[in-house]
């Protein structure tokens, strides 16, 4: 089956978004064919950025929303209909600047949403400003002399915030991304995949990342068994080599399971249709 | 005595609000209608708080601010309010601070917490009004169930003091018990929302809306709803938008500062056409202002919050029965028009209590224009009335693209002129449809002398004081229930020849927001504004004097 829409994709040639788009497309199509995912139960959410238009390119229900607010929107959706598979896309500016607070709370409440972070360390759509993951000294239109702030490490941040599934990907390694995204989607509970990607126009880190990334799965690191403390320590690794893969994964009861335990109603109890033929 | 008020004053932490409610329920049991006002400061201990329990043979929608019986646990609160004692008022003050009742002593003797002091008052009241003590026990058991016993002991002590000191007794006829429920404004809004079909309430604590959050949270299992307190107001409204998007009726509640924070998300809901009910319980601003007092200064905010242009509805209940009824309407309209609907309340309405005269058991389904699957689903299909058929995500064959960027009918992003114009016209058409439909809605209520040249116009919680103030005065009072769409046609019709009329706008803010809105919409001239902005609600008798001064 083909989950893409007819809409022409409007990203710069070589953009990391293509890698992410393709990896997820393959995961979704494969699992829809196997009947492990129902297409109509998919809801894709995106924030604001070049990546934000991604919801135009998948033929599923979607919500292209405002900057920084993907996590609470996603939680609301999952609470409203727990049968839905809720996948949210956010850029690093969206998730780690505007929406930092929501992200931390979403992680600690283990809301059953899957977040894919397009981390290119730049605000691409507004033409190149620095973000919370840009290196210190980054020169952009708002920091022409170089930024003076320390970048954050989103993996450490999410692990400390009690996230139950934390992974890092690289848009240049689509096969690895497929593996990670599939695990993230089928993880019960909050999952976040921070995907390093170059921005060919404003922050082309392709060569930089290509030389440094390695797959955790190629080592004896096992995110499904490691303690959170050790995962946190592993997350500090960045200077010489950059680990990609699943840092930590453990399942526990989700926020929605807990909150909805008493709720049992059908939509027909609430609504009445203005049309004769009953649909809801 | 057929119409009187009881004052109970003390510090935060001395059980005043619960005490006032218990006293109110007692008088309902005796066959009297009750109005309760809780005046409290923004602290957890100390200060000078008080409650007024007004008792009457008729339904009352306001306090009086004049007392016939005063109970004070401390001298400072008594000193502040003693000028409101009626000429035959009996005052019972704490013995250790110059008075005659040993509240502190009784509490200490019985090793009771301070918040049980009002139970002593209940006993005193029983003696003063010659109420059979078993009724007091009944009320206390009802109110406190397994925690009632110590309260009953204290009430008994209060009664004994009455006997020992031979306190003056007041004759009261015991009538048939009042069966209309005595509830607070926020509770009415909560119950109304549940009856309407709401399944998710999200709120960040902020006075004076937090009592609604607590009420719904403790009853969430009984009401079968989800109640959430997320990290901030923005999260609250985003969650509610998410749940609404997939077909779960949702509401958020806050006060002015929270509405400010929610601004962008309100624009999101309006632009993406998501049904949502938003409650603003107003308090004095600007900024942190006076958290526990009342004002009506968010009118302009609620009419305009959220950048850009999209249709909205703004409803202002005037009493607690209306708070229930109009909350149900709010959901009905949010889901039919697929747009944000605001309920404008304030501290006075939300945190006062009176007996409500409306059918609480009603349960109505929400009417929606839903998609019946004749073709490919287009979330933003252009229609004559501007309302597109709704199909929630999750249904087989449905792809619902909801998009905050401007979009095509199918919900794909677009910046092309024709697409932009189509969507804006569609949303504008929705606004027109709304306006036309509302010609049939009861958007105003009229009280008083229908032929009078003197016309009072107001909205919200001033209703109680105004309807009482104008009794036997040559005044017509028009209460506006909907501020958007504004009912200018109905107003102009009702007012008749505006040139010959004396239009008096009454509101609780400094700038006269309703007055300006009224003038700009009706092109009628407001001759007088009666404004009150000291954080306290209008008092009927005092308001009457102010009205009399401007009558022609």
């Amino acid at each position: 089956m083909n989950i893409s829409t007819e809409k022409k994709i409007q990203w710069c040639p070589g953009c990391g978004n293509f890698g992410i788009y393709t990896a997820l497309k393959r995961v979704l199509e494969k699992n829809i064919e196997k009947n492990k995912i129902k297409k109509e139960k998919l809801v894709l959410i995106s924030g604001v950025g070049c990546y934000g238009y991604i919801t135009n390119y998948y033929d599923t229900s979607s919500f292209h929303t405002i900057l920084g607010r993907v996590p609470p929107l996603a939680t609301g959706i999952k609470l409203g209909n727990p049968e839905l598979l809720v996948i949210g896309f956010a850029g690093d500016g969206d998730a780690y600047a505007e929406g930092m607070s929501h992200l931390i709370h979403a992680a600690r409440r283990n809301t059953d949403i899957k977040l894919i972070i397009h981390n290119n360390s730049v605000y691409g759509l507004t033409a190149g400003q620095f973000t919370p993951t840009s290196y210190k000294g980054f020169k952009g239109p708002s920091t022409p002399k170089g930024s003076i702030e320390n970048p954050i490490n989103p993996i450490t941040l999410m692990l400390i915030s009690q996230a139950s599934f934390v992974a890092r990907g690289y848009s240049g390694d689509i096969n690895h991304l497929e593996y990670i995204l599939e695990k993230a989607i089928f993880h019960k509970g909050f999952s976040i995949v921070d995907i390093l990607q170059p921005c060919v126009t404003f922050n082309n880190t392709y060569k930089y990342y290509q030389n440094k990334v390695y797959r955790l799965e190629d080592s004896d690191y096992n995110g499904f068994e490691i303690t959170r403390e050790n995962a946190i320590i592993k997350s500090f690794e960045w200077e010489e080599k950059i680990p990609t893969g699943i840092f930590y994964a453990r399942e526990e009861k989700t926020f929605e399971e807990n909150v909805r335990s008493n709720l049992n109603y059908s939509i027909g109890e609430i609504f009445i249709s203005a049309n004769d033929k009953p649909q809801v | 005595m057929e119409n009187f008020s009881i004052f109970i004053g003390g510090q935060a932490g001395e059980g005043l609000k619960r005490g006032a409610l218990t006293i109110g329920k007692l008088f309902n049991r005796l066959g009297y209608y009750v109005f309760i006002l809780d005046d409290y400061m923004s602290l957890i201990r100390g200060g000078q708080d008080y409650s007024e329990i007004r008792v009457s043979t008729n339904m009352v929608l306001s306090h009086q601010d004049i007392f016939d019986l005063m109970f004070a646990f401390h001298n400072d609160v008594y000193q502040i309010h003693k000028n409101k004692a009626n000429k035959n008022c009996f005052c019972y003050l704490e013995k250790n601070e110059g008075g005659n009742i040993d509240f502190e002593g009784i509490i200490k003797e019985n090793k009771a917490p301070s918040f049980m002091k009002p139970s002593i008052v209940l006993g005193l009241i029983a003696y003063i009004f010659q109420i059979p003590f078993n009724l007091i026990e009944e009320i206390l058991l009802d109110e406190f169930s397994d925690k009632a016993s110590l309260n009953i002991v204290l009430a008994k002590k209060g009664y004994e003091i009455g006997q020992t000191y031979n306190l003056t007794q007041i004759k009261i006829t015991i009538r048939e018990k009042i069966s209309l429920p005595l509830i607070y404004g926020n509770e009415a809004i909560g119950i109304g929302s549940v009856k309407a079909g709401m399944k998710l309430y999200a709120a960040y604590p902020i006075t004076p809306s937090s009592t609604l959050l607590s009420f719904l949270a403790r009853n969430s299992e009984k009401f079968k709803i989800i109640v959430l307190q997320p990290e901030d107001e923005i999260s609250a409204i985003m969650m509610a938008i998410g749940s609404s998007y997939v077909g779960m009726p949702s509401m958020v509640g806050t006060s002015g500062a929270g509405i400010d924070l929610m601004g962008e998300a309100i624009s999101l809901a309006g632009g993406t056409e998501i049904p949502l009910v938003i409650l603003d319980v107003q308090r004095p601003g600007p900024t942190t202002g006076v958290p526990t007092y009342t004002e009506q200064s968010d009118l302009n905010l609620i009419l305009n919050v959220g950048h850009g242009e999209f249709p909205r509805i703004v409803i202002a209940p005037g009493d607690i029965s209306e708070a229930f009824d109009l909350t149900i309407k709010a959901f009905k309209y949010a889901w039919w028009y697929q747009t944000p609907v605001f309920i404008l309340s304030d501290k006075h309405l939300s945190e006062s209590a009176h007996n409500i005269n409306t059918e609480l058991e009603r349960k109505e389904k929400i009417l929606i224009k839903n998609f019946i699957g004749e073709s490919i689903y287009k979330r933003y299909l252009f229609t004559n009335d501007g309302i597109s058929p709704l199909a929630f995500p999750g249904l087989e064959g449905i792809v619902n693209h909801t998009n905050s960027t401007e979009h095509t009918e199918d919900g794909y992003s677009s910046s092309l002129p024709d697409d932009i114009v189509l969507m804006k016209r569609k949303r504008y058409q929705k606004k027109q449809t709304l306006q036309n439909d509302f010609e049939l809605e009861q958007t105003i209520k009229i009280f008083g002398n229908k032929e009078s040249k003197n016309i009072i116009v107001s909205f919200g919680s001033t209703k109680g004081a105004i309807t009482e103030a104008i009794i036997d005065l040559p005044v017509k009072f028009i209460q506006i229930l909907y501020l958007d769409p504004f009912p200018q046609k109905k107003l102009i019709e009702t007012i008749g020849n505006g040139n010959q009329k004396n239009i008096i706008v009454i509101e609780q803010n400094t700038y006269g927001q309703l007055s300006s809105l009224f003038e700009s919409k009706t092109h009628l001239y407001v001759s007088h504004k009666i404004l009150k902005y000291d954080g306290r609600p209008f008092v009927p008798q005092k308001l009457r004097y102010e009205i009399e001064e401007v009558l022609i």
Side-chain angles (χ1 to χ4, degrees):
Chain A
M1 66 99 39
N2 180 11
I3 205 169
S4 301
T5 61
E6 308 272 290
K7 293 284 166 185
K8 180 172 188 294
I9 297 183
Q10 313 270 28
W11 294 322
C12 306
C15 176
N17 286 340
F18 284 104
I20 299 170
Y21 173 77
T22 304
L24 183 67
K25 174 181 157 77
R26 287 182 192 164
V27 171
L28 292 177
E29 285 170 356
K30 175 176 117 196
N31 285 287
I32 289 171
E33 273 158 23
K34 284 193 190 163
N35 236 337
K36 291 176 90 187
I37 292 178
K38 288 211 174 95
K39 181 172 167 295
E40 65 265 12
K41 300 295 184 200
L42 271 169
V43 174
L44 268 37
I45 310 171
S46 62
V48 178
C50 298
Y51 71 91
Y53 297 106
I54 203 168
T55 45
N56 289 293
Y57 310 141
Y58 291 112
D59 186 32
T60 70
S61 286
S62 75
F63 199 138
H64 185 178
T65 187
I66 55 181
L67 188 81
R69 317 296 169 191
V70 167
L73 183 72
T75 297
I77 291 173
K78 187 73 183 181
L79 280 170
N81 185 348
E83 290 180 8
L84 299 172
L85 172 53
V86 187
I87 302 175
F89 303 89
D92 51 300
D94 184 306
Y96 305 135
E98 188 79 50
M100 168 83 94
S101 162
H102 298 312
L103 195 61
I104 292 170
H105 293 283
R108 71 178 187 81
R109 62 174 67 104
N110 200 31
T111 173
D112 194 6
I113 65 179
K114 287 87 194 61
L115 295 180
I116 296 172
I117 310 298
H118 293 241
N119 186 359
N120 60 3
S121 297
V122 79
Y123 282 103
L125 197 53
T126 48
Q129 296 83 5
F130 77 123
T131 75
T133 58
S134 308
Y135 56 84
K136 194 170 187 176
F138 181 90
K139 291 189 177 164
S142 62
T143 54
K145 302 214 170 89
S147 91
I148 54 177
E149 293 172 33
N150 295 307
I152 54 132
N153 181 330
I155 305 297
T156 319
L157 178 72
M158 285 288 93
L159 285 167
I160 284 176
S161 304
Q162 313 297 325
S164 62
F165 181 109
V166 182
R168 173 187 282 137
Y170 169 51
S171 64
D173 186 352
I174 298 181
N175 290 332
H176 193 212
L177 258 188
E178 269 187 69
Y179 166 76
I180 297 169
L181 289 176
E182 190 167 59
K183 288 286 187 225
I185 285 170
F186 287 104
H187 170 80
K188 180 179 103 146
F190 179 84
S191 61
I192 182 164
V193 184
D194 181 78
I195 305 177
L196 302 172
Q197 61 168 113
C199 169
V200 292
T201 308
F202 295 109
N203 189 21
N204 197 347
T205 46
Y206 184 75
K207 282 214 183 89
Y208 176 80
Y209 284 140
Q210 198 71 9
N211 291 330
K212 286 193 155 183
V213 297
Y214 74 93
R215 297 180 179 188
L216 278 172
E217 285 75 15
D218 287 345
S219 69
D220 51 16
Y221 183 94
N222 184 350
F224 294 91
E225 283 171 12
I226 198 149
T227 63
R228 189 180 288 278
E229 290 81 352
N230 286 333
I232 290 170
I233 293 169
K234 187 70 177 172
S235 74
F236 296 149
E237 198 177 306
W238 179 267
E239 287 313 317
E240 294 203 5
K241 285 280 184 193
I242 298 173
T244 60
I246 298 169
F247 279 79
Y248 181 85
R250 220 61 44 95
E251 290 189 350
E252 47 179 277
K253 209 160 176 208
T254 72
F255 179 67
E256 291 75 20
E257 277 177 330
N258 280 318
V259 165
R260 279 194 62 120
S261 55
N262 288 315
L263 215 61
N264 199 0
Y265 69 96
S266 76
I267 249 173
E269 283 169 38
I270 303 181
F271 295 115
I272 186 163
S273 165
N275 300 306
D276 289 330
K277 303 174 210 165
Q279 176 81 353
V280 279
Chain B
M1 277 240 258
E2 304 223 313
N3 178 28
F4 58 91
S5 281
I6 299 174
F7 167 103
I8 172 170
Q11 292 179 350
E14 289 187 315
L16 296 168
K17 290 181 208 161
R18 199 68 188 278
L21 180 61
T22 313
I23 294 169
K25 289 187 175 172
L26 171 65
F27 282 99
N28 275 163
R29 178 75 180 72
L30 299 174
Y32 291 84
Y33 293 96
V34 156
F35 183 95
I36 300 175
L37 176 134
D38 291 326
D39 183 311
Y40 64 100
M41 298 185 167
S42 187
L43 354 106
I44 297 302
R45 290 286 178 273
Q48 298 84 37
D49 293 354
Y50 79 91
S51 293
E52 172 178 337
I53 304 103
R54 180 176 181 191
V55 179
S56 174
T57 46
N58 299 318
M59 173 92 82
V60 272
L61 303 180
S62 175
H63 63 309
Q64 289 187 113
D65 216 28
I66 289 188
F67 308 110
D68 302 281
L69 203 54
M70 291 179 77
F71 298 92
F73 301 145
H74 297 278
N75 190 35
D76 53 5
V77 67
Y78 173 68
Q79 290 304 322
I80 295 171
H81 299 286
K82 69 180 187 194
N83 60 323
K84 301 179 197 170
N86 222 350
K87 56 180 168 24
N88 295 320
C89 180
F90 297 101
C91 301
Y92 299 108
L93 170 61
E94 166 62 44
K95 193 171 187 178
N96 292 335
E97 298 192 27
N100 39 13
I101 312 285
D102 195 9
F103 293 111
E104 268 299 318
I106 295 170
I107 287 291
K108 289 214 170 77
E109 258 167 47
N110 291 281
K111 296 194 184 17
S114 297
F115 59 75
M116 289 194 184
K117 279 186 186 177
S119 292
I120 304 171
V121 172
L122 215 56
L124 285 164
I125 285 175
Y127 178 80
I128 289 166
F129 289 98
Q130 300 160 73
I131 301 167
F133 195 78
N134 66 301
L135 275 180
I136 303 293
E137 279 184 27
E138 212 181 279
I139 297 282
L140 285 170
L141 278 162
D142 226 12
E143 191 61 21
F144 299 108
S145 32
D146 46 355
K147 305 234 165 70
S149 52
L150 186 49
N151 285 292
I152 293 174
V153 165
L154 294 172
K156 230 225 133 113
K157 292 286 177 192
Y159 192 91
E160 281 162 14
I161 291 181
Q163 287 173 316
T164 312
Y165 291 99
N166 222 339
L167 299 183
T168 312
Q169 291 186 306
I170 301 169
K171 188 155 170 36
I172 188 172
T173 316
I174 296 185
R175 311 153 83 95
E176 194 183 321
K177 148 179 147 151
I178 302 286
S179 53
L180 298 179
L182 173 63
I183 65 173
Y184 294 88
N186 273 346
E187 291 179 336
I189 292 170
I191 297 169
S193 67
V194 172
K195 296 291 175 185
M198 175 194 80
K199 286 291 178 196
L200 184 140
Y201 181 72
Y204 187 79
I206 180 171
T207 307
S209 74
S210 339
T211 39
L212 175 57
L213 175 60
S214 312
F215 172 70
L216 290 174
R218 39 171 199 279
N219 288 297
S220 69
E221 271 179 45
K222 172 166 148 204
F223 292 157
K224 295 199 181 36
I225 59 172
I226 295 172
V227 179
L228 302 171
Q229 177 204 309
E231 60 273 19
D232 56 42
E233 285 86 345
I234 300 176
S235 184
I237 189 171
M238 290 306 299
M239 288 184 183
I241 289 174
S243 50
S244 293
Y245 163 58
V246 298
M248 179 182 261
S250 310
M251 179 161 91
V252 295
T254 186
S255 190
I259 297 286
D260 287 340
L261 290 169
M262 293 180 179
E264 192 195 3
I266 289 168
S267 178
L268 173 66
T272 53
E273 308 193 46
I274 298 276
L276 188 61
V277 177
I278 300 155
L279 167 68
D280 177 11
V281 186
Q282 300 166 96
R283 73 195 217 182
T287 187
T288 312
V290 198
T292 57
Y293 289 88
T294 200
E295 195 166 86
Q296 293 181 304
S297 55
D298 289 348
L299 178 58
N300 286 338
L301 173 67
I302 293 297
L303 289 170
N304 296 290
V305 64
H307 68 283
E309 302 164 310
F310 52 90
R312 73 185 70 203
I313 297 171
V314 177
I315 313 180
D319 64 41
I320 297 172
S321 305
E322 287 171 0
F324 173 80
D325 292 330
L326 294 176
T327 296
I328 294 183
K329 294 242 160 143
F331 279 89
K332 169 176 156 173
Y333 293 136
W335 284 86
W336 180 253
Y337 297 105
Q338 299 165 28
T339 209
V341 174
F342 296 85
I343 302 173
L344 195 52
S345 177
D346 58 40
K347 185 267 173 191
H348 184 50
L349 178 64
S350 276
E351 299 207 322
S352 300
H354 65 70
N355 294 97
I356 85 166
N357 192 6
T358 190
E359 187 44 67
L360 280 186
E361 278 321 303
R362 179 186 341 138
K363 177 140 189 216
E364 314 185 344
K365 289 195 187 182
I366 300 175
L367 188 68
I368 55 171
K369 184 196 266 203
N370 75 310
F371 175 68
I372 53 175
E374 295 160 331
S375 48
I376 301 268
Y377 181 59
K378 294 184 180 200
R379 171 63 188 98
Y380 299 108
L381 184 74
F382 190 91
T383 58
N384 286 333
D385 61 4
I387 304 168
S388 311
L390 254 186
F392 305 125
L395 294 170
E396 204 177 321
I398 296 295
V399 169
N400 173 330
H401 284 293
T402 290
N403 198 336
S404 68
T405 61
E406 199 54 276
H407 42 261
T408 60
E409 287 180 285
D410 343 58
Y412 293 116
S413 304
S414 173
S415 57
L416 299 175
D418 287 349
D419 292 331
I420 296 173
V421 166
L422 187 68
M423 284 299 119
K424 285 185 185 286
R425 287 216 172 120
K426 176 175 128 45
R427 292 187 296 261
Y428 185 72
Q429 188 53 49
K430 206 201 269 195
K431 185 176 154 76
Q432 294 301 103
T433 301
L434 222 165
Q435 243 146 250
N436 291 337
D437 289 350
F438 268 71
E439 303 284 327
L440 303 171
E441 173 61 75
Q442 182 192 31
T443 48
I444 62 174
K445 282 187 180 170
I446 302 171
F447 302 89
N449 185 333
K450 315 246 165 16
E451 312 303 317
S452 177
K453 278 194 190 334
N454 297 297
I455 302 189
I456 288 175
V457 177
S458 190
F459 76 103
S461 68
T462 52
K463 175 198 181 158
I466 295 173
T467 46
E468 192 171 328
I470 63 172
I471 293 173
D472 296 331
L473 282 185
V475 175
K476 171 162 150 172
F477 164 42
I478 304 174
Q479 176 200 4
I480 303 180
L481 294 172
Y482 291 84
L483 284 319
D484 196 346
F486 194 80
Q488 60 264 23
K489 271 199 197 143
K490 280 217 180 81
L491 283 166
I492 291 168
E493 233 172 67
T494 308
I495 290 172
N497 187 344
N499 295 331
Q500 301 176 347
K501 300 290 158 65
N502 180 23
I503 298 174
I504 305 159
V505 175
I506 297 179
E507 56 186 317
Q508 295 218 244
N509 53 58
T510 326
Y511 287 20
Q513 293 181 30
L514 177 65
S515 180
S516 305
L517 178 66
F518 175 88
E519 281 186 333
S520 104
K521 293 281 190 185
T522 63
H523 304 292
L524 294 175
Y525 173 69
V526 170
S527 31
H528 296 97
K529 295 198 277 262
I530 298 179
L531 308 176
K532 188 173 186 356
Y533 39 83
D534 59 357
R536 272 70 179 167
F538 280 106
V539 177
Q541 191 55 53
K542 291 196 180 145
L543 180 57
R544 187 188 179 88
Y545 296 145
E546 287 190 80
I547 293 170
E548 281 173 337
E549 282 188 359
V550 299
L551 293 182
I552 58 167

